Amino acid sequence: TIYVGQPGLFPELGFARMSRTQYLSESLFSSKGKGGGKGSGKHAAAQLAAAAQQAEDAAEEARQNREKVKAEALEREKAKQAKAQAASSGFVGNADVFEFCAETSFMQGRDDFHMDRHVMVKDLAAAGKALKMPIDTLDKPVALFSLYDGHLGPKCSEYSAQNFHKKLLPRLSKVSARREQSVEQQIRASLVSALAELDQEFVTKFRTDRSGCSVQIALLVGRRLYVAGLGGESNTLLCSVGEGSSSTTSWTSEGLHAPVLFTNSEEEERVKAAGGAFIEVAPGVQHVAGADFEARMRDYRIQMASGLGCSGAPPMSSPLLRSLGDRDLKIPKPIVLPVPEVRTIWLEKTHAAF
């Protein structure tokens, strides 16, 4: 706003409190004042126009600031209401869930060192919030249980146990019911892609390590249990009890995964196309290996028998067609794949444990 005249003429307007108001005195229009003469009127008009533009800019800036403050206050109020609603309800989605309890234990076998690892996260939602990867869109409770059965050393199982949740949480935080895929499809895809990324990272980072591991993962989301199995050295058992019975003697169990068999014709074609072959390491015991396994093993034995030492490691074979790690069977083409079998189970009252 532009006020013309002396500032003291309008005390009721509170000029002292209006820092962006432009005051123009009568001398601005006078041709006899300082700087008067020919052209002074045009100069005064230009000053007036500039002052008017400045006042408009100030008014627009003030309006935008008011709208910004109002929008921020509205967002804070919405966030406050959402937090209060979540705290009062306790669940997101279907509140009809089962209570669960979980414990872990392990025993050292006859090996020189323990090659297996396990991870239990009873509240994955809290872990995601702590890592700034919230998964609030998923039904509660959300829990993660994983077992890494290592072979040829503990490096792969150790690395997988420490990093799998870091690959999974960012994917779960993007799960939304508004996408074309269903929530179940998105979670299943998240498990598959997280394992693939973990395997690629391990194989790339540890170029001299030959260890690997099979994997069993159970992800509990509300009343849905997502189970991912990789390899055949371990399995996930789902235990059920008869309706109305509490005795453990009436329990039945079901293995949720079956290993990928060497007799599968599609797998046989895939392995051969990747430069692999099936070998018999003992009567009735088959492994998968590179096509040059026999020649490399013969050279290795000759070098060892010469007593001069060996320049390389013995060639690698594996009883598994699915695993993490096992770098020698992934480079240059993957003979062993990190692709799990994923199943989804809707938990019923008869399901007692897994």
Side-chain angles (χ1 to χ4, degrees), residues 135-146:
I135 51 175
D136 298 332
T137 58
L138 301 182
D139 291 346
K140 303 297 186 299
V142 185
L144 175 66
F145 310 92
S146 53

Side-chain angles (χ1 to χ4, degrees), residues 70-148:
K70 187 183 296 184
E72 290 177 351
L74 184 60
E75 288 296 327
R76 286 195 298 270
E77 182 63 25
K78 287 182 178 179
K80 185 178 179 180
Q81 292 177 358
K83 185 176 181 180
Q85 183 178 2
S88 62
S89 63
F91 295 100
V92 178
N94 187 357
D96 183 17
V97 299
F98 298 129
E99 293 182 355
F100 74 93
C101 60
E103 294 297 337
T104 63
S105 65
F106 73 94
M107 182 177 65
Q108 173 71 36
R110 295 184 178 181
D111 293 333
D112 295 334
F113 44 82
H114 193 56
M115 292 186 289
D116 303 334
R117 298 292 185 271
H118 64 269
V119 175
M120 178 176 65
V121 185
K122 294 183 181 181
D123 192 347
L124 193 61
K129 185 177 295 184
L131 295 173
K132 301 189 184 303
M133 292 180 280
I135 51 175
D136 298 332
T137 58
L138 301 182
D139 291 346
K140 303 297 186 299
V142 185
L144 175 66
F145 310 92
S146 53
L147 173 66
Y148 306 93

Side-chain angles (χ1 to χ4, degrees), residues 215-276:
V215 182
Q216 289 293 322
I217 294 171
L219 177 65
L220 179 64
V221 182
R223 288 184 61 174
R224 281 188 172 88
L225 180 66
Y226 298 87
V227 184
L230 190 65
E233 293 182 314
S234 55
N235 204 342
T236 299
L237 299 179
L238 180 64
C239 301
S240 302
V241 64
E243 190 74 33
S245 175
S246 59
S247 174
T248 56
T249 58
S250 62
W251 284 21
T252 59
S253 62
E254 172 193 3
L256 299 182
H257 297 295
V260 180
L261 300 177
F262 288 10
T263 55
N264 187 314
S265 58
E266 294 181 358
E267 282 296 312
E268 184 177 358
E269 293 178 3
R270 181 192 65 78
V271 168
K272 290 181 178 179

Side-chain angles (χ1 to χ4, degrees), residues 270-305:
R270 181 192 65 78
V271 168
K272 290 181 178 179
F278 296 105
I279 61 173
E280 190 172 23
V281 296
V285 180
Q286 280 193 320
H287 279 200
V288 64
D292 59 347
F293 177 85
E294 296 292 348
R296 290 179 59 190
M297 179 59 74
R298 184 171 55 253
D299 293 342
Y300 176 79
R301 287 171 177 169
I302 292 173
Q303 292 184 33
M304 292 298 292

